[in-house]
């Protein structure tokens, strides 16, 4: 087993323990989808697309008073170290469910009775934290599709490696670390809409990790907003640059 | 969202009543907010399994059985045995459970229970290795859900834990490449007893062990599992609603305290140390 | 191969050739099901549940003049010596079909047009004769659900081991024996509603086995009735006790 | 219940007529109660198969083909070869047969035919073992149903029997762990010729070889197979109706007697001893 | 590798390079089907059946202005050298699609709005060129079912073996040869409705192969017509005989 | 028929206009009959894959990734590595693409692309053999379709070709039965660059690279692939319409000439020799 944190307190990819990986956000990346977004977060490369509100098929799933939200998280066969079988795994089915439940509180589904909204997420390349990056992109794609929303949803994980609580685990840290705590929030409504925990942490570590993840969410939320503003109001600077600067200044 | 939740319409009046009561710290059933329904645990009824447990929490009822087979380790963990948790929500358990491939809900259930056992390191997988890289023991825990009345997460989880903790497996003696089954039966290498606590938020109230009616109106669900040392070893938020940051912190404390209580109960009922 | 019948004429589990295994019947064991029953027969532990009459899904299966009867026989993965794959096997599909056809003549399906009745059987632990025990339990569950019936259905197997015709084969006898003949009857209507034969018997042995199986059915039918009477009219003695006594007295 | 039965509505008048006739010992088709329709058996048409047979009973028509492959024996029968019977009710065979996974009816058909062959011990599976525990021959018998006009049980069963009885397979010579295919082709180790007889009860009448119209109104079905010694070697009751105890005894005698007749016919038509 | 063409210019089965394998056509071979046909072409033994026009199931596939044509090409498990898994392979699914598209232009589907026609093809024994033989038989089955047609469809392949362009490849030639070019035409309408190419040919070889395949189609078309005339107008001589004779005379 | 074609109704007036224009040699988009839309090729974006390419033709957009694994050769080609092409039309790509098992259209797409690569002998499969009959390299090319605007056949085909041509794989050294991965990364053994050209017939006009609107009204489709030597190496006619013999000959010449152009483009954009 390699050392995940060196004597200078730096991680395998050179980050400090409270630092996010480099990231990049884009919206409107697909032509056919009603809304779409693309995220790079470390080596994660993920595209999210939204179709809807639209007619419900099969019809018997129609809800009389609100919109039916569906979500599919899927990994391309080439996205992982060893080729992934293209059929949906149980892991993908579970993640699809919790992502849907994490997005639903942000959407005003009562505005679209008897319709459906499909959120499709394709992981083109996966790294640690792909479910969090997927959520962040999916929220952007929903906004890009013009769906009525109460708030954005933004997600980030914290975890425990070699006894230390760190932000935003990459693949190696996820595999060899002691715990991973993905968290999603609606920042303005103060609602945690996704929380999972894999691994073992003490009562105090849980609190520390949870709060660190919320801090990561805040940085990403600023980037989400900047991306949408740039797209719709033509602000000149590329938002991902801004995001990274704000993050760096915050950390210095 | 709980299995069988969607089709249940709790009448409006009943729901209003439930919320009123909860705001005063009471529940329709008369239970306290942090009170479990009666928990029953019976072990050893399936003689053909290495271990088994029938667990009921209130009217929810499941059976877990443990089978051990020879297997090949994963290439990236050549020194570890295998652990597989599989849950079937049988059609006998509810008029809303259809036969067929496992639903999304059933897959989530099985995976959350699996993580609770796996991440707590309840079973020392290293000790299930016979010949590194070649032969290991594979432990299958299968759960059949017989009757649904809410909080399947904990019912299933306790059944798995009880079945594993009381299982007796064949002892193998390895010399070189040769594996010999001995006459001896030994327990599985159990290191800790994970206990999950499932909580629900209904409006502003946080309750434990939601029954089917409460699941039908709950806004959000949170399951946290703890190990014998009181550390948190698995977590899963569910349902299309959220928790405030404060509620999460409160839930963490509840999980640790109720976890301690239910762990003692489980130990007593299964007769394990 | 072991000896299945010793010099004293006793079988591996100590029974005489015309003796049933110990059994136990219960009704009303589940809360959600409209009717339910539990049977232990040797090591068989089987629960049966009935839902209905209820709306038919999918709708196109609706029968205009009678109730649609469906049946599912399923084994839990831990019910067999080596773990059973949870997906329904071809064996389970065939047994589901013949059990349904064995129950159907007992039900007055014309009383419930345009509805469905589902009979779900779960084998928690299997031993020889699980299909017969399943039928006996399913008939009880149907009665417990209050479905209109012409008669109960009760089932028992006879078979051939080491050249002798014996009653109610257990697992070892089923595997190493020469033939198995499961039989179900509606006792009052004198109708055989299930009959299978695996293995080879002479013309005379077939007659002997068939008649022995009918004798086993009779004992079980008394127990079925006693179980229902106890449940609905509160007779004090546990029916399975009574059943076993009557069986023993019969055999002495 | 026969495949294609459900959708067929035999007009009420025709059904009444059928019952009247049967009560007098006659059938709509003019056949006697215990009379089969014409049986045709042609073998060897599929040159790529080790054995094959096209069988028709009346207008029902099926083809069976035998393929032999190398396989691994089951752990509990290390000295026995494998035998697999698979039936496909092709969509060409009836307007009610849909493409897709096999229906419940098709699975029952295949399993009953399989049991008739397996339990009669027609093929000496011990003789298909090459290296105990390691290498055996696996015999696949696949049946394609081409046209359906009732009594598929017997049509398929005769096709399998005829294909197996006339098959020629490669002979293998085994020395130690080495297996060598010889030039020689030899027959399968056939020990007996099982023949199934399918009977139907319509009201009080017991008939053999029901055609599609008769299957549409029959109350219950009984298939009994016998071996060359006249012993009964497989049985299956079908359909949602019953038989009296007396009818079962009568059916047993019919199966043995008609079985003898049809076995002679099959032997003659396939040219086997 | 064996020699596919000997020094006398003859192929492994004794044919000249521009000669078809012996073939045989029949119509009306099944009782239940609305139309049916049987073809033998070398070792190919293929039966085709047509059901329809009939009601569409599932209903949502109904076309308001024309008939829905469906096609299924399937191989029996015993049809190949090593046993074929009975589940439809990707190859069978692709061939089903291109056969349907090759038949469709010949059918006047507008004559049967809101109905479906199913073409089922079962390969009982396969040899080289089974897709072409299937098409030739399917067209006959459609005619036998009385479906309104603009023309028949007839198919034949040419290919390249040992550098030579030859007609109608058999199994060995297909496997060891350099290219296979199956072609289907509607002879009277001069429309190519199927064309595939596997393997590598020069520009000139492509032209030669294509024209040779058309020549094979012509011979088979004459046999198709003769088969239908014999069936419906009772001409005495068996058509396949006639077909083979005409072919032979043509080639001498 | 193109994926997404059926549900698209091009308004009658637009269709009439399209046909009118085509008869004069023009297209709605302003393109010439034998003119492709802009082709973009980007390679190497998926670092976890041995090779990858994102290709767009007009608004159609796909990503192909190459993975290499150890495998066992087929018994009849013991000296050849394996090549598997798999295409997924993702639901993100069109409102008419549903999640689930691949449709007939997607299977045709994958198989035609596979044949274009396989039959052109682009990859020297003999060089992927490590130990004859035992160990070979298996090359998986998976394609994810991201956005659909017609001519997926060529878009996918170019993505596969570009990903394969630029892939770098681990070099293995074999001595006896031992296989050792070296530090070195080497290109795949590429022998030729196959290029497919897809044409459509609309009434009497033959065009290349049909967009989604053109696919919605086309009568027939023809894809022909050529190799670096200008030989034709794969072909597939599609759609329920036909071509005259003369049109086939014309299409053959177009495929060879446009193939040359697009091959040069692909080489330039991927930087291969």
């Amino acid at each position: 087993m390699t050392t995940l944190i060196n004597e200078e307190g730096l991680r395998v990819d050179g980050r400090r323990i409270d630092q996010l990986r480099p990231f990049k956000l884009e919206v409107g990346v697909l032509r056919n989808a009603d809304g779409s977004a693309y995220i790079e977060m470390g080596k994660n490369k993920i595209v999210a697309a939204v179709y809807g509100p639209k007619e419900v098929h099969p019809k018997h799933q129609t809800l009389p008073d609100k919109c039916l939200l569906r979500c599919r998280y899927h990994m391309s066969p080439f996205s992982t170290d060893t080729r992934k079988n293209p059929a949906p795994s149980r892991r993908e089915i579970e993640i699809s469910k919790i992502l849907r439940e994490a997005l639903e509180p942000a959407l005003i589904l009562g505005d679209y009775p008897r319709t459906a909204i499909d959120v499709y997420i394709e992981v083109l390349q996966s790294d640690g934290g792909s479910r969090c990056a997927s959520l962040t992109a999916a929220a952007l794609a929903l906004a890009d599709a013009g769906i009525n929303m109460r708030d954005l949803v933004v997600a980030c994980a914290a975890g425990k490696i070699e006894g230390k609580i760190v932000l935003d685990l990459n693949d190696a840290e996820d595999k060899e670390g002691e715990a991973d705590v993905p968290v999603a929030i609606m920042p303005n409504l103060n609602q945690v809409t996704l929380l999972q925990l894999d691994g073992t942490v003490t009562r105090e570590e849980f609190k520390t990790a949870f709060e660190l993840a919320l801090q990561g969410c805040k940085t990403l939320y600023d980037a989400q907003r900047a991306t949408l503003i740039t797209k719709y109001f033509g602000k000149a600077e590329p938002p991902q640059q801004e995001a990274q600067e704000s993050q760096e200044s915050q950390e210095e | 969202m709980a299995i069988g939740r969607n089709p249940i319409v709790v009448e409006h009046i009943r729901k209003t009543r439930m919320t009123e009561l909860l705001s005063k710290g009471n529940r329709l059933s008369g239970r306290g907010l942090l009170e479990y329904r009666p928990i029953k645990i019976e072990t050893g009824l399936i003689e053909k399994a290495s271990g088994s447990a029938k667990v009921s929490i209130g009217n929810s009822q499941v059976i877990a059985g443990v089978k051990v087979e020879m297997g090949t380790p994963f290439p990236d963990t050549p020194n570890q045995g295998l652990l597989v948790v599989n849950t079937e929500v049988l059609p006998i358990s509810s008029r809303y459970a259809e036969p067929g491939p496992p639903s999304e809900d059933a897959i989530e259930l099985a995976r959350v229970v699996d993580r609770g056992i796996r991440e707590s390191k309840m079973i020392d997988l290293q000790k299930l290795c016979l010949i590194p890289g070649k032969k290991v023991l594979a432990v299958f825990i299968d759960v059949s859900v017989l009757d649904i009345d809410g909080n399947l997460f904990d019912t299933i989880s306790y059944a798995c834990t009880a079945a594993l903790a009381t299982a007796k497996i064949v002892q193998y003696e390895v010399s070189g490449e040769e594996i010999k089954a001995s006459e001896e039966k030994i327990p599985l290498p159990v290191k800790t007893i994970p206990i999950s606590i499932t909580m629900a938020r209904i409006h502003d109230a946080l309750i434990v062990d939601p029954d089917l009616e409460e699941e039908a109106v709950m806004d959000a669900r949170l399951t946290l599992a703890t190990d014998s040392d009181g550390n948190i070893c698995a977590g899963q938020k569910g349902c299309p609603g959220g928790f405030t940051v404060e509620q999460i912190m409160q839930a963490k404390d509840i999980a640790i305290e109720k976890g301690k209580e239910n762990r003692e109960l489980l130990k007593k009922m299964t007769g394990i140390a």
Side-chain angles (χ1 to χ4, degrees), chain A, chain B:
Chain A
M1 218 175 286
T2 55
T3 305
L4 294 173
I5 303 181
N6 70 13
E7 55 275 22
E8 293 161 40
L10 296 181
R11 295 150 69 179
V12 282
D13 52 9
R15 284 185 289 156
R16 288 184 309 278
I17 60 170
D18 61 352
Q19 198 176 356
L20 290 173
R21 287 168 290 180
F23 63 88
K24 179 176 155 187
L25 300 174
E26 280 178 69
V27 284
V29 297
L30 299 175
R31 177 176 172 267
N32 284 328
D34 295 319
S36 60
Y38 176 72
I39 188 168
E40 288 184 10
M41 182 89 206
K43 286 187 179 165
N44 283 304
K45 299 189 179 189
I46 299 167
V47 55
V50 170
Y51 284 94
K54 59 181 202 185
E55 257 190 84
V56 186
H57 288 290
K59 279 201 174 148
H60 68 88
Q61 294 185 355
T62 309
L63 304 176
D65 57 339
K66 61 173 187 168
C67 179
L68 174 72
L69 180 67
R70 292 182 291 212
C71 183
R72 179 192 195 242
Y73 164 96
H74 184 256
M75 304 180 91
S76 281
F78 46 74
S79 66
T80 46
D81 284 324
T82 48
R83 179 177 185 263
K84 194 209 152 274
N85 187 306
S89 65
R90 287 164 64 93
R91 176 182 170 275
E92 283 167 294
I93 293 170
E94 185 204 343
I95 292 182
S96 296
K97 178 178 191 287
I98 60 164
L99 295 190
R100 186 189 71 226
E101 293 176 344
L103 290 168
E104 186 159 340
L107 302 175
I108 308 177
L109 295 177
D111 285 1
Y112 314 102
R114 311 192 67 75
T115 65
I117 294 175
D118 282 312
V119 178
Y120 297 122
I121 294 159
E122 186 72 16
V123 179
L124 299 172
Q125 185 161 274
S126 75
D127 196 355
S130 77
R131 73 191 68 188
C132 288
S134 294
L135 256 188
T136 301
L140 277 182
L142 283 160
D144 186 44
I147 308 295
N148 293 347
M149 297 173 80
R150 295 186 176 86
D151 198 351
L152 286 173
V153 176
V154 60
C156 187
K160 182 178 168 187
I161 54 174
E162 297 181 354
K164 290 210 172 62
I165 301 301
V166 304
L167 185 62
D168 188 26
L169 275 55
N170 65 25
D171 240 357
E173 295 173 333
D174 193 18
K175 240 166 242 156
E176 301 187 15
E178 291 107 72
D180 184 32
V181 186
V183 175
I185 51 160
M186 296 191 290
N188 296 319
L189 299 177
N190 183 32
Q191 286 284 307
V192 177
T193 68
L194 180 144
L195 173 64
Q196 291 188 298
L197 190 150
D198 277 3
T200 302
V201 290
T202 66
R203 191 191 289 236
E204 294 69 34
E205 285 167 346
F206 178 78
K207 187 162 182 285
T208 311
F210 183 65
E211 283 165 357
L212 186 58
L214 290 181
Q215 202 178 306
C217 287
K218 213 199 146 306
T219 307
L220 286 162
Y221 175 61
D222 292 340
Q224 275 181 320
R225 287 206 330 169
T227 305
L228 289 171
I229 289 167
T230 307
K231 167 84 186 294
Y232 289 104
F233 303 98
K235 219 172 150 187
E237 315 91 290
Q240 58 275 22
Q241 289 297 89
E242 183 191 44
Q244 285 179 319
E245 279 162 30
S246 80
Q247 178 204 342
E248 278 165 33
S249 59
Q250 178 192 325
E251 268 149 22
E252 267 155 26
Chain B
M1 184 182 301
I3 289 165
R5 175 183 173 166
N6 258 326
I8 292 180
V9 177
V10 177
E11 316 77 354
H12 182 64
I13 195 161
R14 208 163 164 75
K15 182 175 175 177
T16 312
R17 178 95 182 106
M18 196 188 286
T19 323
E20 274 174 27
L21 276 172
L22 285 170
S23 69
K24 295 178 200 152
N26 297 316
R27 293 162 84 167
L28 267 186
S29 56
R31 280 193 282 159
L33 298 193
L34 302 185
E35 191 185 339
Y36 267 71
R37 292 168 292 175
I39 300 172
K40 275 187 241 162
I41 303 177
E42 190 189 337
T43 56
L45 28 344
I46 306 297
E47 299 95 335
K48 292 196 172 183
S50 301
S52 61
K54 184 169 165 184
V55 169
S56 61
I57 300 185
N59 287 309
S60 282
Q61 192 185 140
V62 311
I63 296 194
V66 173
K67 291 272 179 191
V68 178
E69 293 180 4
M70 247 0 144
T72 315
F74 288 118
D76 51 341
T77 52
N79 297 306
Q80 294 191 6
L82 306 173
L83 186 73
V84 179
V85 177
N86 177 54
T87 293
E88 283 207 84
V89 179
L90 299 175
I92 66 172
S93 65
S94 156
R95 67 185 62 246
Y96 308 111
E98 297 278 332
S103 69
E104 194 190 59
D105 288 335
I107 288 172
E108 187 193 16
L109 262 174
R111 284 180 55 85
V112 170
V113 171
D114 180 290
R115 283 203 293 271
I117 293 165
R118 188 182 303 280
E119 299 291 344
S120 72
K121 307 197 169 40
M122 175 178 182
I123 304 297
D124 188 346
L125 295 180
Q126 309 263 2
K127 294 213 172 122
L128 300 180
C129 179
L130 300 175
I131 303 173
K134 292 198 176 159
K135 283 277 173 210
V136 297
L137 296 181
V139 177
F140 289 88
I141 311 143
D142 288 284
V143 184
S144 290
V145 175
L146 300 180
D147 224 340
I148 298 182
D149 189 25
N151 197 11
L152 284 184
F153 279 89
D154 292 350
T155 319
I156 293 171
S157 168
Y158 297 0
C160 291
T161 301
L164 286 169
T166 57
K168 296 261 186 273
I169 63 168
V170 173
Q171 186 171 31
Y172 290 96
E173 276 151 27
V174 183
S175 58
E177 295 281 292
E178 217 173 310
I179 298 172
K180 233 179 62 191
S182 84
E183 295 290 294
E184 211 79 6
K185 291 242 178 171
I186 53 167
L188 281 167
V190 170
K191 295 200 300 184
T192 191
I193 301 292
I195 289 289
S196 72
I197 297 294
T198 293
M199 293 155 279
R201 177 174 72 77
I202 300 176
H203 289 233
D204 297 330
L206 209 57
I207 60 171
V208 301
D209 182 30
D211 62 28
L212 199 58
E213 274 192 329
E214 289 164 341
E215 287 190 346
V217 302
M218 70 181 167
D219 295 290
R221 193 197 68 230
L222 183 64
T223 299
L224 291 174
T226 55
D227 63 19
S228 295
D229 297 330
N231 293 325
I232 302 171
C233 60
Q236 181 94 341
K237 178 258 160 191
C239 288
F243 291 93
T244 62
V245 171
E246 298 69 36
Q247 283 164 340
I248 298 284
M249 288 301 125
Q250 199 188 334
K252 169 201 64 175
D253 295 331
I254 295 171
I256 293 172
E257 279 140 45
K258 296 301 292 183
K260 216 169 156 181
E261 273 179 38
N262 286 355
R263 188 175 298 105
E264 288 315 306
L265 194 73
L266 186 140
K267 283 180 171 178
K268 215 179 66 188
M269 286 183 150
T270 56
I272 56 173

